[in-house]
Each structure stands twice: as C-alpha cells, then as structure tokens.
C-alpha cells in the first residue's frame, strides 16, 4: 500500500494503481474520458488533470494527468485546486466546441458520461460561435448506430475494438482535429464483440440499434439482474423492459465471470422474447388431425388433471438444458427420477456427465473466465471458442498479454500504462496453443495451431500429458509432427505459473475431453495452480447433468414398450436433439404429448397440449455455468395472460391431478420453496439457498426497486385500461419490486438492477459500486461453486487413446462448424441476428475438392441420416483432409454429427 495526500487529507491506496483509479476508488468525483479500467491509460483526453505538489511547503505545484501518474507513496495532489478545476472545465469546453449539443434527441441522453462530466466540471455556457466540424455517418450493420458528430476523440472505441478485442475492420482515420472512427467503408462490424462499443463510448457516437425500433429513454426502462442464456458461460446481464417489451441487454459486471464485456450474441440475441412466434396462450388439439385451439388456463388444467391422475406412473418427463434448475427439478418431482429424461441424446448426455465427473474427481479446479484472463499459458484442445463460447475467447486473447507484461515489470513500467507497455512488448504474445478441426481469425494470436480430426486432436492431448507425466498413457502410433508439437507444448506448460487447459463438447468426442483432463491432471502433479476449463453447449447443461436423468433414447424405449403413454416436454425441441424418424415415432406412439415452452418449433406442431412458459425475462430461476457456478436470474417484467414460469405450470398440473406428490408440490408458493426442496432432495445442491438473498430479504425494511427514481409515465402506461394508477404487481419470488419505490442504496451484487449514483448516470457509475475500481463489487455474492475438485494428487488417467484418423475413399467425416450467429437456438430467433447468420455451406480442403472436381461456390451432395442435402462448397486449407465442416445454422443441427457420408458433386438440374 502507498500513502497519498488528497486535498490535505491522507489516504492509503494500492501503489500499483494510477492516481485516477486510486481517487475513484476512494470515492472522489474526478472526471475522465479516455481511461477505462480494462483498457488502461493513454492520456488522450486531458480531462483528469489534478495539481501535484512536491511536498507540504510547495504552494505552486504543477498540473498532471491523474491517469498517467503513479499513486506512489508520499504523492500530494489537489483535486479542488482552482487552476486544476479551471483546466478541466476548459478541456470540456474545447471538446464541446464541435459537439452538436443534441442531448434532447440523442439516444444516449440521460445515460451519457459526457453529460455527467460536463456537469461535474461546471461548464455550462458555449462561447464558440463558428462553423462546427461535421462528419458523414456509416451503416455499421444491424447492431450498432453511428453518429460521428458526437465524437470527442477519446480513442476508447478503437483501443477496445482493435487492441482488446482483436477487430481489424475498424480504425481511426485522419489527424489532429479531424479524426474519424469507423470502417474503411460502410458495412457490418465483423468482430463478435462490437456491441461493447455502446458501453465503452462515453458519448452517443455508438448506440444499440436493436433498441431503436422500440426506443425509450433509459431511465424509463424497468430493469432486473439476469444471466445470459445463449451459451454455458453464465455472463451477468441487466435486462430492460418497457410496455411489456424487452428492449435491451446491458453488461452486468461480475469480477469472476464476464467483467466489463459481453459478446454480441449475448447482447443482441434477446429479441426472441418479443417474437411473433411466442406461445402466449394455452393450446389444445382435440385430436392429432385437427387444428390447435386456444383455451384459458383453468379449462386446460381441468382437461389435464384427470389425464395425469389416471396413471401417474405412465407419464415420462423430458427436461431441457436451457430450462432453469427449478423447472427441471419440478418435472423430475412430478414424474419421478426413473421417468425423468434429460432431453438429450445418449451421446450428448454422456459428454456432459463425463465433464462433470472429471471436474469432481480430478485435482484440477474448474477455471473461471477471470482465471483464463490471468493465465500465462493456455492450451485449447478441440474447442471452437469464438463460436461456442465467445466471451471465453476474449479472455484467452487477454491471456497472451500476461507473459509480455513481465517485460514491462522489469523495465519499471506500470501495467496500467497501456501505450508504454505495448511499446515495451513489441507485439510479443504469450504462449497459446490451439488444436481444433478448423480455423478462424481467433487463431491469429496463437503461438502454434494444429488442425486435425477429433481422434488426432485427442492423440495430441494424450501425447502432451505423457510428456508431462510418463505415467500417463501415450498413443501407440503417433505422427512425428504431432509428437514434436506435443514436446513443445509440454515444455511451455511445464514452465508456466498459471497454466490452463480448455476443451469442450464442440468435437462431440469423449476422447478429446479425456485427453484434456489428462493434460491438466499431469500438470497438477507439479503445478498446484493448473486449472481446467470445459465449454458445454447450453446455459444449464452442467446443472442438468448434476440433476441426473435418462437419455432421450431411454425415453423412446419406454414409450415404445408401452411402459409410458404420456409425454411432458419441458422447453425442448426434440428435433434439435435426435434424428427426425425416432422423434416422429416417439411423439406418434404416445397417447398425449404435453409441451411447456415459449417459442413455436417443430415439436410444438406435434403436441396435443401446449402450455405457455415464461422466458428468462418473465421468470426467476437458477442456472449453473460451465465452471459449476450457480447463479440466479430475475424476472424483468410480469408475464401477461396465461404465461407463467415452467415450475409453476408443473406445480399446477400436480395439484390439478391429485398426483401422489401434489401435497409437497402444492406448498411451492414461491421460488424459495422450490429451491429449498431441491437443496433438501439432492445433496449436490445443498448450498443452492446461498446463491442470492431470499425473497424475505429487505434493506431498511424495503425491497429493491426495478425502476429508477426518474421513471416516468406510471399512470400513462395503463391509460388504455384505466385512468387510475393501479397497485404495482407483487413479486412473491424475489426481494425486487415492480416499482420505483424501495431502497435506493447499493444492494448485494445479485440484486443490482441498474448502476446509478448522484452525478453518475451512465454505466460508468459502476465505479461507485466497487471496493476498488476494477475489482470485486461491494457486498459481492458471486454465486455458489457447486463443484469441488479432488485434493488427491494421485489420479487414474484415462487410457482410451484413439488410433490415428484415417481418411476414406468412400466418404468424408462430416464435422459440425458452429457459428456465433445462428447455431444457438434462441438468439437465432432474434430479428437483428438475421443479417449476421451465414448461409449454410460445406467446407472442404482444396485437395478434397479437387478430388471431387468441385470448385468453390459449386454445390455438393451429401447425406445426414436418411436425408440428402445440397450445399455450396467453401474451400478451407485448415480443414483436415478426409473431413468436411458443415455450418450449423437454422435448418441444420448437429444431432447426427460427426458422421461419415459420401460427397459427390451435385449436378444442377
């Protein structure tokens, strides 16, 4: 710690920080623009000027930029010095000289850092009377708006996009007072993290284009803390609603998970909640040949009650990895553990169970996103991070900066000094090894890459583990190139202080997952800090594996054998989980098919009864992320009509049927009741009650408001129905209120609905919610880690080493090629995603394409199961010979992949 003096008062601060970060952490209001906790300092805006004095006798002092000055022991500064205050006001004035002053019509108005800093400095009158500099705006695609005339040239946008996120199609053009931030031409921003410009930019240059069709002022949004449902990482979000429409997603800071940033799928994939394909009324089909008719909730429950009461043991429940723990548990309680299916194929369920078993019985702890950012050596084995877990890919990109930072440390350059650190590093990157079936732009930062079929990737992993520990098995036949690469990887991992191995389910290969475990376990024999990180397909894949259940194939057999005749499906489209023929037979054989879901899909068209389930925005629940961290998401707005949480529908079904378990389930009046029952029933979830404060939690006797204190139009919202302001809806499931009344201070971190503090209306108000800027939140409850790694150093290595991949003359191994936009089920239904979802293609190695006599763009024909497909061919030199990569976008699933299939050149008719 260092002792500094601010305006004649002593304080203790972290000597590794600069003065700006130290002052903000102490609670001072010191204006800034170009500095960002995740990006460091460049001193571009000159806004954070303070007066520094040599000692207590110095009365003159000199101006310094707080963001560029270390918080060294004995430093004496003044924020309130008249010269410093005048200088800061003059900086705002020259920035505002060309600003359009269009706050009343600016999309950022009321949530603008520039507005806050202008007020903070006292600048209130424009003296500039000449022609303003103007720019042409660009069309940057479906996610981001562009209004360059509002730019103050802080350089935050280009530093984030190029330096932090690795984008290459956005830059600063021009010089001096005519700097333009944009693309070389109009077009969609290509980087998967472009949406963060909305929050990184301190003005209204970049804004959320998906908000524009249903724009509302930011202070009029009703918001709630939530968790992203579009991959397994569990990034924290703030979801905002107005008039029953979900309107935007913001990043919600979590020091261990997503930090300051989200991927574009998580930020812009929310609009499925507002889709015209939403199921909003119960539907009943009198017979399989008739059209479904709508009916009210009570009538449907009267129909279903006797049906379920007749033979409760003949009901089978199909769970879902995208449904909450509470919903899956309720279904399991209704049908019994022997009749509960995970809603996954045996292969996919097996992969999730294998990962869970590895994390439980091995010595390598599960790594968080923050752990990955701090890693000094990373091996990615068989996982397509940028498409399957984009936020983790961004973390890996930061990890390659860790070793070069040591150069700056030796030179005495503080790590927050961004430009100096980059100059000292001279573009050096830390060790990152990527072994995957195909390539993308993300591999550009890798030390070495290897592209191979899943069996060859697994062989590489086993070989690396053997190099680290001779007790680990090695492939009996090993390609010399793989063996040499394995030696180099092992040597680097052995020397690293914080190595991490990343793998997952992208290859659909047990041996790839097992080989990654062997590498991490071998490292743990010499490195207690080695960690393991697995990516899973969906938001609650690991939680569902912890709950346990049968596979879909087991469910198919039970119905086929006549042991069950009623199917209750929870938030699951079975045609995405298995081949169409067995699913058709399964649904046709059952006498009744009941579906709980929120979007129309193929399975819904075969259901006899459909119950409208709430989305994440209309529900409360718990999800378990890829590292085993249980986190709570909260209802953003009350569901309309008959829409309700899935667990409530299941409870109502149990009560209506007089089910044997109905006496227990009838006592489930609120979410806490279900959580308590789950914690009691399954030992794995004993600590689930600690995830977030209970519904009875209050601060100074008050709930936490979802609405800001500036929220307007409470009576006008209901004007079409009544001129009286109705009583706000009571929330029985959480300590949050659907109101602007409540406790206005800072609540525990799971209950933060928005960031605001006096004088700070933008997302930069987050600084006031942290103990130290850039560190954990005050009253942080980061979720509960449900998986404890073994403390045993002696492990039983996996020994099922695959033989080398052999290409065939009669076919190709078709592998899934996931897409960040289009592969995930829910976000693919968002309207803004349509422009970014790629067309389906089949990617081949140029040599294989030459063998088929097919050129790029020409069509090839191949089979998946019993269906033939014709797709354009794309050439990729990184695709392993003998394999083909199929884009997983709407119309194509990975249920049958990997699979062997002949490929022929399609003859155009």
């Amino acid at each position: 710690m260092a002792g500094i003096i601010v305006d004649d008062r002593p304080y203790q601060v972290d000597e590794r920080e600069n003065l700006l970060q130290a002052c903000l952490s102490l609670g001072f209001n010191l204006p800034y623009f170009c500095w960002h906790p995740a990006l460091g300092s460049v001193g571009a805006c000159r806004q954070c000027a303070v007066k520094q004095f040599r000692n207590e006798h110095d009365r003159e002092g000199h101006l310094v930029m707080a963001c560029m000055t270390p918080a060294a022991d004995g430093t004496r500064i003044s924020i309130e010095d008249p010269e410093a205050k005048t200088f800061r006001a003059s900086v705002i004035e020259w920035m505002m000289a060309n600003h359009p002053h269009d706050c009343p019509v600016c999309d950022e108005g009321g949530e603008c850092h520039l507005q806050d800093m202008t007020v903070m400095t006292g600048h209130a009158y424009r003296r500039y009377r000449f022609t303003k500099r103007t720019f042409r705006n660009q069309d940057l695609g479906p996610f981001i708006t562009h209004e360059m005339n509002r730019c103050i040239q802080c350089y935050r946008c280009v530093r984030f996009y190029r330096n932090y996120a690795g984008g290459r199609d956005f830059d600063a053009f021009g010089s001096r007072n005519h700097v333009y931030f944009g693309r070389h031409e109009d077009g969609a921003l290509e980087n998967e993290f472009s949406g963060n410009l909305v929050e990184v930019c301190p003005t209204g240059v970049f804004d959320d284009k998906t908000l524009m069709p249903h724009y509302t002022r930011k202070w009029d949004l009703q918001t709630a803390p939530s968790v992203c449902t579009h991959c397994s990482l569990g990034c924290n979000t703030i979801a905002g609603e107005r008039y029953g429409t979900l309107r935007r997603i913001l990043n919600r800071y979590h020091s261990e998970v997503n930090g300051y940033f989200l991927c574009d799928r998580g930020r812009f994939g929310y609009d499925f909640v507002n889709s015209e394909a939403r199921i909003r009324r119960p539907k009943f089909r009198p017979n399989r040949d008739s059209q479904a008719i709508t009916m009210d909730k009570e009538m449907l429950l009267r129909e279903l009650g006797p049906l379920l009461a007749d033979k409760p043991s003949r009901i089978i429940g199909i769970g879902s990895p995208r449904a909450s723990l509470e919903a899956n548990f309720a279904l399991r309680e209704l049908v019994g553990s022997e009749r509960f299916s995970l809603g996954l194929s045996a292969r996919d369920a097996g992969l999730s169970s294998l990962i869970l078993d590895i994390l439980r019985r091995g010595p390598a702890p599960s790594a968080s996103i923050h752990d990955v950012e701090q890693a000094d050596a990373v091996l990615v084995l068989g996982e397509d991070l940028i498409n399957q877990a984009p936020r983790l890919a961004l973390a890996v990109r930061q990890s390659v900066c860790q070793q070069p930072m040591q150069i700056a440390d030796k030179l005495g350059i503080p790590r927050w000094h961004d430009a100096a650190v980059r100059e000292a590093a001279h573009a050096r990157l830390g060790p990152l090894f990527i072994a995957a079936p195909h390539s993308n732009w993300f591999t550009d930062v890798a030390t070495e890459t290897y592209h191979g079929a899943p069996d060859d990737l697994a062989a590489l992993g086993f070989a690396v583990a053997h190099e680290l520990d001779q007790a680990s098995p090695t492939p009996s036949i090993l390609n010399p190139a793989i063996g040499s690469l394995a030696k180099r990887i092992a040597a680097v991992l052995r020397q690293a202080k914080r190595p991490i191995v990343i793998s997952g389910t992208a290859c659909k290969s047990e041996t790839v997952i097992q080989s990654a475990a062997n590498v991490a376990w071998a490292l743990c024999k010499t490195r207690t800090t080695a960690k393991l990180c697995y990516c899973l397909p969906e938001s609650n894949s690991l939680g569902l594996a912890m709950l346990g259940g049968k596979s879909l194939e087991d469910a198919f057999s039970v119905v086929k054998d006549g042991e069950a005749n009623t199917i209750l499906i929870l938030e699951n489209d079975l045609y995405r989980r298995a081949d169409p023929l067995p699913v058709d037979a399964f649904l046709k054989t059952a006498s009744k098919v009941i579906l709980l879901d929120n979007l129309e899909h193929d399975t819904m068209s075969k259901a006899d009864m459909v119950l409208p389930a709430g989305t994440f925005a209309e529900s409360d629940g718990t999800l378990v992320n890829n590292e085993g961290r249980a986190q709570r998401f909260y209802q953003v707005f009350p569901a309309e009509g008959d829409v309700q949480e899935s667990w409530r529908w299941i409870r109502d079904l149990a009560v209506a049927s007089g089910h044997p378990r109905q006496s227990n389930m009838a006592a489930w009046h609120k979410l806490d009741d279900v959580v308590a029952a789950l914690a009691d029933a399954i030992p794995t979830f004993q600590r689930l009650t600690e995830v977030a404060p209970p519904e009875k939690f209050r601060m100074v006797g008050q709930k936490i408001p979802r609405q800001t204190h500036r929220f307007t139009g409470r009576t006008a919202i209901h004007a079409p129905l009544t001129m009286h302001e109705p009583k706000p809806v009571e929330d029985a499931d959480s300590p949050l209120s659907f109101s602007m009344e409540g406790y206005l201070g800072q609540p525990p971190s799971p209950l933060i609905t928005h960031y605001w503090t006096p004088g700070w209306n933008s997302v930069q108000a987050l600084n006031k919610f942290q103990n130290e800027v850039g560190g954990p939140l005050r009253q942080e409850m980061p979720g509960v880690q449900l998986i404890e790694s073994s403390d045993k150093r002696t492990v039983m290595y996996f020994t099922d080493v695959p033989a080398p991949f052999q290409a065939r003359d009669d076919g190709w191994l078709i592998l899934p090629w996931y897409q960040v936009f289009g592969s995930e089920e829910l976000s693919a239904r968002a309207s803004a995603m349509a422009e970014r979802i790629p067309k389906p293609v089949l990617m081949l190695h140029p040599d294989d394409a030459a063998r088929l006599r097919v050129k790029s763009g020409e069509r090839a024909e191949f089979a998946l199961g019993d269906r033939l497909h014709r797709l354009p061919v794309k050439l990729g030199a990184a695709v392993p010979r003998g394999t083909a990569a199929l884009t997983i976008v709407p119309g194509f699933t990975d249920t049958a992949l990997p699979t062997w299939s002949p490929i022929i050149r399609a003859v155009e008719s």
Side-chain angles (χ1 to χ4, degrees):
M1 299 294 285
I4 67 171
I5 298 172
V6 182
D7 290 318
D8 297 323
R9 295 188 65 180
Y11 298 92
Q12 292 293 311
V13 299
D14 188 339
E15 72 276 5
R16 296 170 298 178
E17 297 176 351
N18 57 55
L19 286 175
L20 174 60
Q21 188 170 0
C23 289
L24 292 173
S25 297
L26 291 170
F28 290 104
N29 288 334
L30 183 57
Y32 65 91
F33 289 114
C34 65
W35 176 81
H36 188 282
L39 305 179
S41 304
V42 291
C45 69
R46 324 307 288 172
Q47 185 60 68
C48 62
V50 295
K51 179 72 73 71
Q52 183 174 12
F53 302 92
R54 290 190 299 274
N55 52 48
E56 65 273 20
H57 305 297
D58 183 4
R59 294 289 179 251
E60 296 296 324
H62 61 284
L63 292 176
V64 298
M65 301 305 118
C67 73
M68 300 298 290
T69 307
D73 191 49
T75 300
R76 181 181 291 267
I77 62 170
S78 173
I79 296 174
E80 299 300 323
D81 179 84
E83 184 182 1
K85 292 177 70 174
T86 300
F87 182 86
R88 293 196 296 267
S90 69
V91 171
I92 283 285
E93 184 173 26
W94 79 57
M95 285 182 177
M96 298 296 284
N98 286 299
H99 195 275
H101 276 209
D102 59 347
C103 298
V105 296
C106 176
D107 300 329
E108 198 73 2
E111 198 183 56
C112 176
H113 188 59
L114 177 60
Q115 283 182 330
D116 291 344
M117 299 302 97
T118 301
V119 173
M120 190 177 293
T121 60
H123 172 67
Y125 183 76
R126 179 195 286 267
R127 294 183 294 173
Y128 184 77
R129 291 290 181 268
F130 303 98
T131 302
K132 297 179 184 179
R133 172 204 64 210
T134 58
F135 292 106
R136 172 189 171 274
N137 301 321
Q138 289 184 315
D139 179 359
L140 298 179
F143 299 153
I144 304 292
T145 62
H146 190 229
E147 178 51 78
M148 258 304 296
N149 292 327
R150 297 171 182 152
C151 182
I152 59 172
Q153 299 178 12
C154 70
Y155 284 85
R156 265 195 190 187
C157 58
V158 72
R159 290 174 58 217
F160 168 79
Y161 195 90
R162 294 185 67 86
N163 299 343
Y164 195 94
R168 289 293 173 264
D169 63 321
F170 180 93
D171 212 337
F173 303 93
S175 63
R176 299 177 65 188
N177 198 34
H178 291 272
V179 181
Y180 187 89
F181 297 91
R183 299 182 83 247
H184 65 289
E185 62 181 4
D186 285 30
L189 291 169
E190 297 170 1
N191 190 267
E192 292 83 356
F193 308 97
S194 64
N196 292 290
L197 296 178
V198 172
E199 294 187 54
V200 167
C201 177
T203 72
V205 176
F206 304 101
D207 237 306
D208 185 344
K209 187 179 281 190
T210 68
L211 176 63
M212 298 305 107
H214 40 230
Y215 181 77
T216 191
R217 284 299 189 185
K218 314 299 174 62
W219 61 80
D220 282 335
L221 289 170
Q222 180 169 257
T223 53
S226 192
V227 176
C228 181
T229 59
H230 301 308
C231 81
S232 65
L233 298 182
C235 294
N236 287 207
T237 62
I238 293 177
E241 169 269 350
R242 179 81 167 175
Y243 292 115
T245 300
L246 190 63
R247 303 192 178 222
R248 74 163 179 181
I249 295 290
L250 282 183
N251 183 71
R252 179 163 62 97
Y253 180 85
H254 191 302
S255 62
E256 293 295 322
V257 186
N258 47 294
Y260 288 93
F261 305 120
L262 294 175
C263 75
D264 286 355
R265 183 166 72 192
R267 185 181 294 273
F268 302 117
Y270 68 88
D271 201 36
F272 74 91
V273 174
N274 309 317
S275 171
E276 294 182 359
R278 278 295 306 276
I279 303 168
R280 300 188 183 276
R281 294 289 308 278
K283 296 182 179 181
F284 172 71
R285 194 191 309 273
N287 59 70
R288 295 279 168 93
D289 298 324
S290 63
Q291 291 291 323
I293 58 174
T294 59
M295 62 170 56
D296 64 41
K297 173 184 173 182
E298 299 304 324
M299 184 181 298
L300 188 67
L301 289 174
R302 285 197 298 271
E303 289 279 344
L304 282 174
L307 173 69
L308 299 180
D310 185 26
K311 292 184 179 179
S313 63
R314 303 198 66 190
I315 307 169
I316 190 165
I318 309 295
S320 171
R322 63 175 169 88
S324 69
L325 275 180
E326 292 82 1
N328 278 294
F329 172 68
L331 181 59
R332 184 177 182 268
E333 284 292 284
L334 179 68
V335 302
S337 59
E338 292 302 312
R339 285 286 189 265
F340 176 70
S341 166
L342 299 175
L344 300 171
S345 67
R347 181 195 59 186
D348 290 346
L351 295 176
S352 297
S353 296
L354 174 61
I355 289 173
L356 177 60
D357 178 63
I358 288 170
L359 294 177
R360 278 176 170 168
R361 74 179 180 90
S366 185
S368 68
I369 293 177
H370 178 71
D371 292 332
V372 174
E373 288 178 340
Q374 299 301 311
D376 58 353
V378 176
L379 168 62
V380 179
L381 194 59
E383 191 60 30
D384 184 2
L385 293 183
I386 199 67
N387 290 306
Q388 284 285 79
R391 185 60 185 83
L392 188 60
L394 187 63
V396 170
R397 182 174 172 80
Q398 308 322 306
S399 74
V400 300
C401 301
Q402 293 302 313
Q403 280 202 10
M405 283 284 189
Q406 297 173 13
I407 300 172
D409 293 342
K410 291 177 181 178
L411 295 173
I413 300 172
R415 293 193 171 196
W416 48 259
H417 200 317
D418 185 59
V421 169
R422 292 183 182 280
E423 180 66 24
H426 288 298
R428 293 184 184 90
L429 298 175
L432 167 62
F433 299 94
I434 297 179
H438 38 258
S439 181
N440 52 51
W441 72 266
F442 176 65
T443 59
D444 292 349
V445 296
T447 308
E448 290 191 65
T449 58
Y450 172 74
H451 302 294
D455 285 349
D456 288 342
L457 300 177
L460 173 63
F462 281 111
V464 172
H466 182 73
E467 291 294 331
L468 292 166
D469 181 9
Q470 296 299 305
S472 176
T474 186
S476 56
I477 303 174
L478 189 62
N479 182 306
I482 295 180
S484 176
L485 176 59
K487 292 180 184 294
R488 295 193 296 274
I489 295 173
V492 170
L493 293 177
R494 189 181 289 114
Q495 296 299 316
K497 296 178 181 178
R498 299 178 302 280
I500 286 181
V501 181
I502 300 175
S503 189
T505 60
C507 285
K508 303 287 185 179
S509 168
E510 285 190 0
T511 54
V512 169
I513 293 170
Q514 292 169 348
S515 68
N518 276 14
V519 175
W521 292 350
L523 280 169
C524 284
K525 285 197 170 183
T526 57
R527 284 278 181 271
T528 57
T529 52
K531 292 189 176 182
L532 184 57
C533 182
Y534 282 115
C535 300
L536 292 95
E538 296 179 66
S539 59
N540 205 23
S541 292
L542 198 58
L544 190 63
M546 291 178 177
L547 201 60
K550 308 292 185 179
S551 69
L552 265 183
E553 286 85 347
D554 292 332
F556 294 169
S557 297
V558 168
V559 172
K560 182 180 178 181
D561 296 341
E563 296 175 27
N565 61 4
T566 300
I567 306 170
L568 184 52
I569 304 172
L570 170 65
E571 299 183 35
N572 207 333
D573 180 5
L574 302 190
Y575 289 95
R576 292 182 62 89
R577 311 295 181 186
D579 291 335
L581 285 180
V583 175
D584 285 341
F586 177 58
L587 299 177
K588 185 176 181 180
T589 304
S591 60
K592 289 295 179 185
V593 177
I594 306 165
L595 173 72
L596 289 83
D597 215 335
N598 43 59
L599 283 173
E600 297 174 358
H601 47 63
D602 292 340
T603 302
M604 192 208 89
S605 65
K606 304 292 179 66
D608 300 296
M609 299 181 182
V610 180
L611 310 180
T615 63
F616 76 94
E618 299 147 316
S619 308
D620 303 82
T622 309
L623 300 174
V624 180
N625 78 345
N626 67 311
E627 55 172 315
R629 186 190 302 269
Q631 300 182 106
R632 184 68 44 82
F633 63 91
Y634 289 99
Q635 192 174 13
V636 186
F637 57 99
E640 295 183 358
D642 293 323
V643 176
Q644 63 178 359
E645 295 95 329
S646 292
W647 71 262
R648 279 197 161 90
W649 273 117
I650 296 169
R651 177 206 61 189
D652 292 345
L653 290 175
V655 173
S657 65
H659 193 278
R661 294 181 180 84
Q662 68 90 20
S663 59
N664 293 331
M665 299 178 71
W668 293 356
H669 300 297
K670 54 189 178 183
L671 185 74
D672 286 349
D673 298 332
V674 190
V675 171
L678 175 54
D680 288 341
I682 303 176
T684 300
F685 299 106
Q686 282 181 353
R687 297 184 59 207
L688 205 61
T689 55
E690 303 171 24
V691 169
E695 181 274 332
K696 292 182 179 179
F697 176 83
R698 299 290 186 272
M699 299 193 76
V700 197
Q702 303 174 83
K703 282 195 164 193
I704 313 302
R706 285 178 169 90
Q707 300 168 2
T708 72
H709 65 285
R710 299 183 293 168
F711 192 87
T712 62
R714 296 200 307 179
T715 303
I717 287 176
H718 303 283
L721 304 175
T722 175
M723 291 306 296
H724 303 284
E725 182 180 337
K727 180 183 177 181
V729 175
E730 289 288 339
D731 186 353
D733 294 323
S734 79
L736 306 178
S737 67
F738 293 107
S739 170
M740 62 191 293
E741 284 84 19
Y743 181 71
L744 296 180
Q746 182 176 339
S749 62
L751 301 178
I752 295 175
T753 60
H754 56 275
Y755 295 117
W756 181 88
T757 194
W760 298 76
N761 298 283
S762 77
V763 293
Q764 308 296 319
L766 166 62
N767 296 337
K768 301 292 187 178
F769 285 68
Q770 296 167 311
N771 288 314
E772 289 189 8
V773 175
L777 295 165
R778 298 193 184 102
Q779 303 185 62
E780 183 164 83
M781 297 176 66
V784 172
Q785 180 57 259
L786 298 178
I787 299 176
E788 295 291 338
S789 59
S790 171
D791 58 359
K792 297 178 181 177
R793 293 294 152 191
T794 302
V795 296
M796 295 294 293
Y797 288 114
F798 291 105
T799 58
D800 186 15
V801 183
F805 172 76
Q806 296 291 332
R808 295 182 185 176
D809 293 332
D810 61 344
W812 279 257
L813 181 64
I814 301 181
L815 302 171
W817 181 18
Y818 298 101
Q819 305 296 313
V820 65
F821 306 121
S823 292
E824 194 273 324
E825 179 182 6
L826 299 179
S827 62
R829 308 287 286 271
S831 55
M833 290 289 166
E835 188 176 327
R836 297 301 305 275
I837 296 176
K839 301 293 184 184
V841 297
L842 188 70
M843 188 161 63
L844 291 168
H845 190 279
D847 292 349
D848 287 339
R851 182 153 66 97
L852 288 168
R853 297 182 181 178
V854 62
K855 298 178 181 178
S856 180
E858 294 181 341
R859 291 182 177 270
E861 188 175 278
F862 61 97
L864 293 180
D866 63 332
R867 298 180 63 184
L868 288 177
H869 299 274
R870 286 186 175 188
L871 288 180
V873 167
K874 182 177 181 178
L875 302 184
V879 178
R881 293 174 179 83
T883 73
L886 172 65
T887 48
I888 305 302
V889 292
F892 291 88
T893 68
D894 60 358
T895 55
L897 303 179
T899 188
W900 288 93
S901 172
I903 300 176
I904 62 173
R905 179 182 178 185
V907 178
E908 299 295 339
S909 57

